[in-house]
Amino acid sequence: MAEMVNNHFGTNIPAEKFRWFYQNNKIKCGVRTSWNKAAPGTVSQKKDDYQYIKMEDGTWRLYHHVLWERANGPIPPDCAVTFIDGDIQNVDISNLELVSRQELFQLAKDGLRFECPEMNKTGILIAKLRVAARKKEKELKEHE
């Protein structure tokens, strides 16, 4: 690094100064060769604990989104795919549910997430019902 900077800017900064600067400022190298060199179709887990899959074009996508789209088609922009049992490692298609962003907000706002998958299914239905009811109320007020 020191050689590259010195050649480019015509300076003579010793390599030790660069090491000291990196260590004291907690700067880390941004190169992740193992991540970048993965073959298409590779599934990997990032720091956010979600699983990602490398696509043919070299990009990484959320694995549960890819599974959902393969089974059900594209995810609408105002929707999200949620995990029924709350476990983001369980990417089985039977554990995924498409909900609107409003329904996702309602789930969080009303505390409708539970440890039991069956209760989560019920929570999702309650959120869907509340969002639909609020939408209908708004429509009725607009027609008055």
Side-chain angles (χ1 to χ4, degrees), residues 69-85:
E69 289 177 348
R70 284 180 185 164
N72 302 296
I75 301 169
D78 62 336
C79 291
V81 178
T82 189
F83 298 89
I84 295 171
D85 67 0

Side-chain angles (χ1 to χ4, degrees), residues 121-137:
K121 286 181 185 178
T122 304
I124 291 169
L125 291 173
I126 291 169
K128 286 180 183 287
L129 180 64
R130 288 181 179 167
V131 168
R134 193 169 47 249
K135 184 178 177 182
K136 192 65 173 173
E137 285 175 358

